[in-house]
Amino acid sequence: MPRRRALILALAGAAALLLALAPVASASWIRPESGGSPNANDISTLYTIVLIMGAVIFVLVEGLLVYSVVKFRRKRGGPEPTMVHGNTPLEVGWTIGAAVIVAVIAAITFIYLPKIKNPPNSSANGLQQLAGEDFASLNQPNPPNGKALRINVVGQQYIWRYDYIGAPRLTENRPVYAYYQMVVPTNTTVILQINSSDVAHSWWIPKLGGKADAIPGHNNYTWFKISKPGIYKGQCAELCGNNHADMLAEVRAVPPDQFKAWLTGQRQAILQSQQALAAQRKAGEGQ
Ligand SMILES: [Cu+2]
């Protein structure tokens, strides 16, 4: 049957192509991205432990299957192989074995979860001033010493806004804000409160931890603590409209001194543009 063989070959080729191209679509080859923040590293480690256990079981089960198919197959001209139905000790054994594996994975997961959820303190070389403003938080545990730089993340079609609520304010008590790029100090615990002003979005910088949905009227929380200065990129992870693909985000981590200088500059720039606008309005009114 050459047609059937051709079909099987074509299917196998398509599957191989799919597998070969899959890593291009994913950000990291086989594991979640990490290296930006301890929570992202813990997520990646937890994933790797389960991946290795899964891989060992996969090789064992598939190996045994292939071995049995080859070893006990019906040989040409040979007798019918014996039919086996059920094996109680074996069935009890792999049921208990599977239960033990699930229990072990659950135990390991519960060891890692608190470290993923609870932020550590900022380091001694992190931002010391600005940090420490008390702020009511419903779902995000504080670092042990209660001090963190708090930033509100607001999703809107199709850009992210960041309100630096712990920093000196603009006029009318409005917080200093930035769009698209969030500048943060290194070695400092940063707690994000995330919501949206229109539709559902999702905040995700893979190297800095898990995803958090940005939902109108509801606050979600996450945190990160970056030790390496640099730019960490992400993208809205919830289809939010026609330009969802353009809703990019990045976090730029700089040493605390540079962060303070940036914050001062940003505040000045906003105040100046507000003044310029007010002056323009006034001039317009006079015409
Ligand atoms: Cu989106």
Side-chain angles (χ1 to χ4, degrees):
M1 353 173 155
R3 249 183 87 183
R4 206 171 141 191
R5 187 169 292 175
L7 183 70
I8 289 170
L9 266 176
L11 280 176
L17 201 67
L18 213 63
L19 284 172
L21 293 178
V24 180
S26 65
S28 182
W29 185 66
I30 197 164
R31 301 187 302 158
E33 283 189 86
S34 60
S37 177
N39 45 353
N41 297 350
D42 285 332
I43 290 171
S44 188
T45 308
L46 187 55
Y47 181 92
T48 307
I49 292 170
V50 178
L51 179 73
I52 290 169
M53 288 171 75
V56 169
I57 294 163
F58 176 81
V59 168
L60 274 178
V61 171
E62 294 304 312
L64 198 63
L65 190 69
V66 171
Y67 169 80
S68 305
V69 164
V70 173
K71 174 92 200 246
F72 303 109
R73 74 188 188 278
R74 182 180 184 182
K75 293 177 181 83
R76 231 177 266 274
E80 184 91 355
T82 36
M83 292 293 174
V84 181
H85 290 281
N87 184 318
T88 308
L90 211 58
E91 284 166 21
V92 170
W94 67 53
T95 304
I96 292 175
V100 168
I101 290 166
V102 171
V104 168
I105 290 176
I108 296 171
T109 303
F110 280 108
I111 291 169
Y112 272 91
L113 273 184
K115 285 204 287 176
I116 293 169
K117 188 156 195 281
N118 306 325
N121 286 337
S122 299
S123 305
N125 55 351
L127 183 74
Q128 301 302 320
Q129 288 163 12
L130 282 188
E133 176 171 293
D134 280 341
F135 184 82
S137 126
L138 288 177
N139 299 316
Q140 173 58 57
N142 282 314
N145 67 4
K147 291 183 174 182
L149 175 67
R150 290 168 200 282
I151 301 173
N152 286 2
V153 175
V154 184
Q156 61 188 78
Q157 286 166 321
Y158 295 96
I159 197 164
W160 294 101
R161 192 183 85 228
Y162 316 115
D163 288 341
Y164 289 78
I165 55 168
R169 298 292 171 115
L170 301 166
T171 54
E172 293 167 17
N173 202 32
R174 291 214 178 97
V176 173
Y177 58 84
Y179 284 93
Y180 171 61
Q181 188 185 65
M182 181 197 290
V183 180
V184 296
T186 49
N187 299 308
T188 305
T189 303
V190 179
I191 289 184
L192 305 180
Q193 174 185 287
I194 298 155
N195 58 41
S196 163
S197 58
D198 44 40
V199 301
H201 302 275
S202 184
W203 169 259
W204 195 25
I205 308 283
K207 281 189 175 143
L208 302 182
K211 230 180 253 180
D213 282 343
I215 307 294
H218 173 81
N219 290 330
N220 274 326
Y221 296 86
T222 188
W223 65 276
F224 57 74
K225 182 181 169 187
I226 301 172
S227 53
K228 224 168 49 200
I231 288 179
Y232 300 86
K233 292 186 179 221
Q235 190 164 354
C236 176
E238 173 82 44
L239 183 60
C240 55
N242 285 346
N243 289 332
H244 161 67
D246 294 330
M247 196 164 162
L248 307 173
E250 59 183 48
V251 171
R252 181 159 65 95
V254 296
D257 286 350
Q258 275 181 44
F259 169 73
K260 277 201 253 180
W262 172 83
L263 196 64
T264 309
Q266 181 80 353
R267 186 170 176 275
Q268 287 307 322
I270 295 172
L271 286 174
Q272 272 165 23
S273 66
Q274 281 177 347
Q275 279 161 10
L277 195 65
Q280 264 180 28
R281 273 205 200 107
K282 221 169 183 184
E285 276 165 11
Q287 278 174 4

